[in-house]
Amino acid sequence: MTRKLAREKRVEDILEAAVEVFVARGYEGASMDAIARQAGLTKGGIYHHFSGKDEIFLAANDLFMEPIHRMIAQAMEQGNPRNGLRSFLVAYFQWWKDHPCDIAFVILTLYKALLKPDYWPEMSRYTEEMTAFYKHMLETAVVHGEANPMRDVDSRAFALLGAVDGLATYAVMDPTQTAEDCADKLLRAFL
């Protein structure tokens, strides 16, 4: 059990080091040597866990989904869908405000994904997962009388995905935009 935990910690350390290197140098400028140095490992130590830079790049994106999955679970556990969606949005915006290097990496990932169609299925999975979450929360809000039942929930969920992810970057760059203000504005617009 301890060995498994040590491996998981090592992989997480590699991914966190890789994010820093990718943000500082860009994808093309990042090297396995630089990632290894940043992680405090040898290049062989990196290759023990990953086959190359592309695999590290994609795995680092998966790392960002872990806190988002926790936020989703907490939102869905709340009895009130409006409060659950608000708590998710506040936590989501605050997460990115607290981790500006990480959002820079996500933007780099989007840029790289646009140039590399092999990454598109991974991006599509994110879109599907997040849209399904927003749709569930919006449908539940309609059932509870907290959202306009006359508006198309599928379209609203998809638009909310774009609004949330787009607004996250602006929330990071504008210190006058609090996570709470961003969440409340979106709730007014989408519920």
Side-chain angles (χ1 to χ4, degrees), residues 22 27 52-59 61 108-126:
F22 284 127
Y27 181 84
K53 190 164 69 166
D54 279 352
E55 186 179 359
I56 292 173
F57 195 69
L58 290 174
N61 276 286
L108 174 65
T109 299
L110 292 173
Y111 166 74
K112 184 66 177 168
L114 284 171
L115 302 175
K116 192 164 184 163
D118 294 352
Y119 288 0
W120 293 1
E122 187 72 26
M123 299 300 134
S124 293
R125 279 191 289 280
Y126 169 79

Side-chain angles (χ1 to χ4, degrees), residues 97-164:
K97 286 177 87 60
D98 293 343
H99 299 88
C101 180
D102 294 349
I103 202 162
F105 177 75
V106 169
I107 293 167
L108 174 65
T109 299
L110 292 173
Y111 166 74
K112 184 66 177 168
L114 284 171
L115 302 175
K116 192 164 184 163
D118 294 352
Y119 288 0
W120 293 1
E122 187 72 26
M123 299 300 134
S124 293
R125 279 191 289 280
Y126 169 79
T127 301
E128 291 167 8
E129 180 179 357
M130 295 307 295
T131 302
F133 164 66
Y134 293 131
K135 180 180 178 183
H136 170 77
M137 296 305 283
L138 292 169
E139 287 174 337
T140 306
V142 168
V143 168
H144 282 81
E146 295 182 344
N148 184 342
M150 302 303 288
R151 294 163 76 190
D152 177 15
V153 174
D154 286 319
S155 297
R156 253 190 302 174
F158 187 69
L160 184 55
L161 168 70
V164 170

